[in-house]
C-alpha cells in the first residue's frame, strides 16, 4: 500500500521552529521528486519546497532562508525544518510525491503530484 504519513505539526509562537517529517512506504522513495505543500483556509494550495531524487532543492520565495527541505532515502523519510515561523505560515502542510519526476521537480504544479499524505496542521501565533 502506497502511503505518506506526516508528523511534527503543532502550535508555536512567531519566531519559533518546527520540524515536519513524512514517512513513505509502498514504493521506492528514492526514485521520485518530493514536495511540501500547504493550504490555509480560503486559500489555494501552494508549493513550499521540493527536492529531487538526488537532493537538489527549490523553495517558494516566502520561505527561502527560513525553511529547509531534506530527505533520507535510506529511511524513506522527507523532512521540513521550519525556522523563524510567522503567523502567515499557518496552514495544513502536506507532503507529496511526483511519480513522474525524478531529477526535475515542479514545485508550482501541485496537480502533478500523485501521492499525498493526510496533512499536519501548523499554527503560528503572534
Amino acid at each position: 500500500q502506497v502511503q505518506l504519513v506526516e508528523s511534527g505539526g503543532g502550535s508555536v509562537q512567531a519566531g519559533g521552529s518546527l520540524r515536519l517529517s513524512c514517512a513513505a512506504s509502498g514504493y521506492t522513495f528514492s526514485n521520485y521528486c518530493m514536495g511540501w505543500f500547504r493550504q490555509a483556509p480560503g486559500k489555494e494550495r501552494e508549493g513550499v519546497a521540493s527536492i529531487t531524487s538526488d537532493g537538489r532543492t527549490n523553495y517558494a520565495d516566502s520561505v527561502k532562508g527560513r525553511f529547509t527541505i531534506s530527505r533520507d532515502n535510506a529511511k524513506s523519510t522527507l523532512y521540513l525544518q521550519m525556522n523563524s515561523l510567522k503567523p502567515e505560515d499557518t496552514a495544513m502542510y502536506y507532503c507529496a510525491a511526483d511519480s513522474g519526476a525524478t531529477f526535475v521537480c515542479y514545485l508550482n504544479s501541485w496537480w502533478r503530484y500523485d501521492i499525498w499524505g493526510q496533512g499536519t496542521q501548523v499554527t503560528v501565533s503572534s
Side-chain angles (χ1 to χ4, degrees), residues 83-95:
N83 298 329
S84 302
L85 282 161
K86 304 176 181 180
E88 50 264 43
D89 294 319
T90 295
M92 184 71 79
Y93 282 71
Y94 301 90
C95 66

Side-chain angles (χ1 to χ4, degrees), residues 99-119:
S99 65
T102 301
F103 299 115
V104 177
C105 294
Y106 301 89
L107 180 59
N108 295 319
S109 303
W110 63 264
W111 51 89
R112 287 185 53 95
Y113 291 73
D114 49 349
I115 305 171
W116 289 83
Q118 82 289 350

